[in-house]
Amino acid sequence: MTDSQAGTLLGLDGQVALVTGASRGIGQSIACLLRDLGAKVYGTATSQAGADAIAGELGDGRGLVLDVTDDEQLNNVIATVNAHAGAPTVLVNNAAITRDQLLMRLKDEDWDAVMDTNLRGVMRMTRACLRGMLKARQGRIIGISSVVGYSGNPGQTNYAAAKAGLAGFSRALALEVGARGITVNVVAPGFIDTDMTRALDEAQRDRLIGGIALGRLGKPADVAAAVAFLASPAGAYISGQTIHVNGGMYLT
């Protein structure tokens, strides 16, 4: 394969990508890699400061404020992207929150908050982008799940349920829209070197790494590479699947 052929297979020239939760960590890495591969990328954050940080990475006007539970903000984001670049052809549902607690102490509002953002928000965001993809008869929808949705984790029943639900949602949607040239897939990261894992003390990090076959935490770029593959022409015949990016921590 020549460099030109490889570039065509993995390139995203002409694509319009929308990445939620793109101000830092995994989301930021995904947005920047899709940009580097040629897509026109828009990223969202829940605050104006976060949107400004995205704009600094992607260019003026490409960082947008969005709480995925807010209908008005969601409609404004879709309208803005459509007006400036056209309908999104790649959607990466990365925005998520945690409200960790053992089930016996878990408040209903903390269960609802996680479900509303991590699962219902994915449904609403996907539905909003789907109209343009159906009309164009092409699209890539990629959800960012978690190893926790498959292996479980004490204190995260709400988060695990939402992330497992994302996989089921994606499989069902893949069957609904595949005939229109739209693929729907999931990337499930393991423990990634982000702000959350950096907050752990040395003993906690050592315990985590001890359970990973590759002997290290993942990097945001590891997750971004899997997303980029699924978004590219190279991933055109993959749909309804979950790619686990966890260094051998959890084996399916």
Side-chain angles (χ1 to χ4, degrees), residues 52-76:
D52 291 344
I54 294 168
E57 292 283 350
L58 301 179
D60 291 342
R62 298 195 191 178
L64 305 170
V65 175
L66 173 65
D67 176 343
V68 295
T69 69
D70 186 310
D71 284 325
E72 183 177 358
Q73 287 186 9
L74 189 152
N75 291 333
N76 287 341

Side-chain angles (χ1 to χ4, degrees), residues 11-145:
L12 293 172
D13 290 343
Q15 302 301 309
V16 178
L18 179 57
V19 182
T20 65
S23 63
R24 57 194 176 92
I26 290 171
Q28 182 184 63
S29 187
I30 291 169
C32 290
L33 181 55
L34 297 184
R35 174 205 62 195
D36 292 346
L37 291 172
K40 183 171 285 188
V41 182
Y42 290 80
T44 75
T46 55
S47 68
Q48 187 59 55
D52 291 344
I54 294 168
E57 292 283 350
L58 301 179
D60 291 342
R62 298 195 191 178
L64 305 170
V65 175
L66 173 65
D67 176 343
V68 295
T69 69
D70 186 310
D71 284 325
E72 183 177 358
Q73 287 186 9
L74 189 152
N75 291 333
N76 287 341
V77 163
I78 298 299
T80 298
V81 175
N82 273 285
H84 290 175
T89 55
V90 177
L91 170 64
V92 182
N93 285 306
N94 175 66
I97 64 170
T98 57
R99 295 287 187 273
D100 295 350
Q101 185 55 270
L102 295 174
L103 183 62
M104 290 300 295
R105 299 176 183 172
L106 184 66
K107 298 178 181 178
D108 286 356
E109 52 264 37
D110 289 335
W111 175 275
D112 292 343
V114 168
M115 290 297 171
D116 206 27
T117 295
N118 297 8
L119 191 54
R120 186 170 180 270
V122 168
M123 178 276 292
R124 294 165 67 256
M125 198 74 204
T126 301
R127 189 173 58 190
C129 291
L130 201 52
R131 186 181 301 276
M133 293 181 182
L134 290 169
K135 184 176 181 180
R137 300 187 70 87
Q138 66 163 322
R140 300 282 192 271
I141 299 168
I142 302 161
I144 306 302
S145 182

